[in-house]
Amino acid sequence: MLRKEQNDLITQTGPGTPMGELFRRYWIPALLAQELPANDCPPVRVKLLSERLVAFRDSEGRMGLIDEFCPHRGASLWFGRNEQCGLRCPYHGWKFDYTGQCIEVPSEPPESKFADKIKLKGYPLVERGGVLWTYMGPADEQPPLPEWEFATVPAKHRFVSKRFQECNYLQAMEGGIDSSHVSFLHSGNLESDPLFKGAGGNKYNLADLQPHFEVVESPGGLYIGARRDAENGNYYWRITQWVMPSFTMVPPRGNHSVHGHFWIPIDDEHCWAWSYDYHPTRELTDAEVAAMKVGKGVHVKLIPGTYRPVANKDNDYLMDREAQRRGVTYSGIEGIAIQDGSLQESMGPIVDRTKENLASTDNGIIMARHRLMKAAKELQQKGTLPPGIEPAHQKVRSASVILPPDQPFKDAAREALIVRKGIAPASV
C-alpha cells in the first residue's frame, strides 16, 4: 500500500505538482486529428493536466493549443472566430495567433504596440499517426517527436479512439498493466469478441487462473511478464510493455491486431483513455475496423457527438445480471473496455491506496508506482529527465510466446520486445 502523501504525489498532475511536471516532459496525445479537420475550422476545448485550453487550426494550417481564456476580461476563446490566421475573441475583438501571441487589439492604436505585450500560454500541436500530440513542458527541453510504432505505420494499418473516463489516470493505467484479471473479468469475451477469438493463447488464460508474475525494468519503463502453464512443461508468457509515464501495450493474440492505451490526465478525477489497434505487417481488415467502431476489442461505443461511452456510470454500464448469471459475461457488462472502465470508476475518483492489500500478481503495479515516484522526485530535485522520452524507449513491442521453463523471458524474448520492421509480432 501507499502512504497518503505518496498517493497524493502520484495522482496529482496539475501545474506545479511533481507528477504534473513529469507528464509535461513528454509528448502526450491531445486530440484526434479529425477534431481539427480543416483550416479555420471551429476551435475545440481541451483540458489536460488540469489546464483549460483551446485548440485551433489557422488559415495556413498551423495548429495551436492555447489558454482558453482571453486575457482582457476572461471570456472563453472557444466562442472565438477562427479567421485570417488567428482566433478572435468575440467580446472585444482581441485576436491571437496559433502560438498564443496577441496580434490585434482593435481598441488600441497600432503604434502603441499594446498587442505585442500580450501573450497567452501556448503549446505546440503536431500530427502523427492520426493523433495531435502536444508538449507542455519547458520549450528548451522539448524532446524528439513520438516514435510509437502504431503512429508510424501506414494509416490503413491502424485504428485509434479515445474515451472519457471518470477517474484518476493511475487506477485506469494500473488496470492496463494487470494481466491477472483477464482470466476473470474478460473470460466471457476471449472467444466471443471478434478481435480476440480464435487465438491459441486464450486457452491458457482460461485454464490457468494463477499466473506467476515476473517484472523487469526496461529502458523506458517495465517488462511485465505473466507466466501460465502450457503443454509439455513449457510456459505461456504474456509480456506487457509499460513505458513511462502511462503507455501500455497489451500482448497480442494470434494474428489479431496489437492494441494498447495511453492514460492521460484531464484533471485529478478524470482522464482520457486513448486506445489503439495496429498491425505492423498488414492492413486492418474492413471487418476489424467495423468491429472497433462499434466498441469491440479495447474500444467502446460512444454517445454520438461525444467521447463518453454509451455504457456509463449513470446507467450502471448497462449491467445485465442474467448475462452475468449465465456466464455470457463474467461481470454482466458487455465490452472489454467498459468492463475495465466500470470497475476502475467504481473505486471512486481517486483510490485511497492506504487501504489496499496487494498480492504477488500486483508486482507490475507496485514497480510502476515506484518508477513514477522516483522519476518525479529526481526531476524535481535534480532536473533529471525521466525514462520514456527517447525514441528508442518507444520503439518497443509486447509479445506472447511459449518458452521452456529454463529460459528467462527477458532474455529469450529480447528480439520480440523491440520493433523489427517487416516482421510480425511474436504471438500465440
Side-chain angles (χ1 to χ4, degrees):
M1 66 178 67
L2 296 182
R3 299 188 304 274
K4 181 183 184 302
E5 59 269 23
Q6 291 176 313
N7 199 43
D8 291 344
L9 168 67
I10 202 170
T11 57
Q12 295 174 1
T13 58
T17 63
M19 198 59 60
E21 292 306 304
L22 182 80
F23 266 92
R24 285 168 172 79
R25 293 309 194 275
Y26 298 86
W27 285 100
I28 60 174
L31 296 159
L32 290 165
Q34 67 198 39
E35 293 182 76
L36 292 181
N39 297 356
D40 291 332
C41 63
V44 178
R45 293 187 185 99
V46 179
K47 189 176 185 183
L48 292 172
L49 306 177
S50 295
E51 294 189 37
R52 289 182 60 175
L53 308 162
V54 63
F56 70 103
R57 186 190 293 265
D58 76 7
S59 308
E60 297 181 3
R62 297 171 298 187
M63 295 180 292
L65 184 64
I66 65 175
D67 191 324
E68 181 184 345
F69 302 102
C70 180
H72 178 208
R73 299 271 296 281
S76 172
L77 291 172
W78 178 81
F79 294 95
R81 296 171 60 91
N82 190 5
E83 58 188 14
Q84 298 175 333
C85 290
L87 191 61
R88 188 183 296 277
C89 180
Y91 207 0
H92 300 93
W94 289 30
K95 187 176 181 181
F96 303 88
D97 71 11
Y98 72 102
T99 70
Q101 177 63 52
C102 185
I103 55 177
E104 188 178 335
V105 178
S107 63
E108 301 299 314
E111 59 270 21
S112 72
K113 298 192 180 299
F114 181 80
D116 296 349
K117 305 170 188 176
I118 308 296
K119 191 175 192 305
L120 290 170
K121 182 184 296 183
Y123 302 117
L125 276 181
V126 298
E127 182 173 352
R128 181 158 288 202
V131 175
L132 301 184
W133 306 77
T134 190
Y135 170 73
M136 299 170 66
D140 60 351
E141 295 181 11
Q142 182 172 303
L145 293 177
E147 291 287 344
W148 310 104
E149 189 176 26
F150 84 89
T152 60
V153 298
K156 291 186 177 181
H157 288 229
R158 69 169 168 267
F159 180 86
V160 184
S161 69
K162 71 174 187 178
R163 61 182 167 87
F164 179 68
Q165 185 155 334
E166 299 179 69
C167 68
N168 184 263
Y169 86 95
L170 186 64
Q171 64 212 58
M173 186 197 78
E174 289 173 347
I177 58 177
D178 170 16
S179 287
S180 65
H181 76 275
V182 174
S183 299
F184 292 91
L185 183 60
H186 304 319
S187 58
N189 294 81
L190 289 182
E191 286 301 342
S192 63
D193 191 297
L195 302 174
F196 284 72
K197 68 180 182 181
N202 292 352
K203 62 183 178 182
Y204 306 120
N205 276 111
L206 297 173
D208 187 347
L209 305 183
Q210 294 181 314
H212 170 77
F213 275 75
E214 293 184 19
V215 186
V216 181
E217 287 196 0
S218 69
L222 298 173
Y223 303 127
I224 303 172
R227 188 192 78 197
R228 291 176 170 86
D229 290 335
E231 297 85 359
N232 304 316
N234 293 320
Y235 292 136
Y236 170 61
W237 284 96
R238 292 183 57 76
I239 307 165
T240 297
Q241 288 275 3
W242 174 70
V243 181
M244 292 181 59
S246 59
F247 169 86
T248 61
M249 183 181 292
V250 181
R253 295 181 183 275
N255 191 41
H256 291 303
S257 51
V258 185
H259 55 262
H261 305 277
F262 286 87
W263 313 97
I264 304 299
I266 297 172
D267 53 34
D268 293 345
E269 296 188 352
H270 306 86
C271 67
W272 288 115
W274 286 83
S275 304
Y276 63 86
D277 265 272
Y278 80 104
H279 201 287
T281 60
R282 66 170 177 84
E283 294 182 1
L284 301 182
T285 67
D286 291 343
E288 287 174 323
V289 172
M292 295 169 193
K293 287 181 176 179
V294 297
K296 300 300 183 182
V298 297
H299 307 277
V300 303
K301 188 175 182 180
L302 300 169
I303 298 172
T306 78
Y307 291 99
R308 194 181 193 210
V310 169
N312 57 66
K313 68 178 184 180
D314 292 340
N315 54 30
D316 288 327
Y317 309 95
L318 304 178
M319 162 71 80
D320 185 341
R321 290 292 186 186
E322 179 59 22
Q324 182 186 46
R325 186 187 66 79
R326 292 188 289 112
V328 176
T329 54
Y330 192 81
S331 70
I333 293 170
E334 177 55 41
I336 287 172
I338 291 301
Q339 289 166 2
D340 285 330
S342 64
L343 298 186
Q344 292 156 8
E345 291 182 359
S346 77
M347 302 171 183
I350 305 176
V351 172
D352 181 356
R353 291 176 175 80
T354 67
K355 298 179 178 180
E356 289 181 326
N357 294 278
L358 301 184
S360 60
T361 53
D362 298 313
N363 285 341
I365 291 170
I366 294 168
M367 289 185 66
R369 292 176 184 176
H370 282 297
R371 287 217 77 179
L372 282 170
M373 289 189 291
K374 181 174 183 286
K377 290 176 180 177
E378 290 185 348
L379 175 63
Q380 181 185 44
Q381 297 168 4
K382 304 175 184 178
T384 305
L385 292 179
I389 290 174
E390 296 299 322
H393 297 174
Q394 301 168 10
K395 296 179 180 179
V396 297
R397 287 180 177 174
S398 57
S400 59
V401 292
I402 303 290
L403 296 175
D406 60 345
Q407 293 189 15
F409 83 85
K410 65 182 180 65
D411 299 323
R414 185 180 303 276
E415 289 297 307
L417 296 174
I418 58 174
V419 169
R420 294 177 294 165
K421 193 170 183 179
I423 298 177
S427 183
V428 177

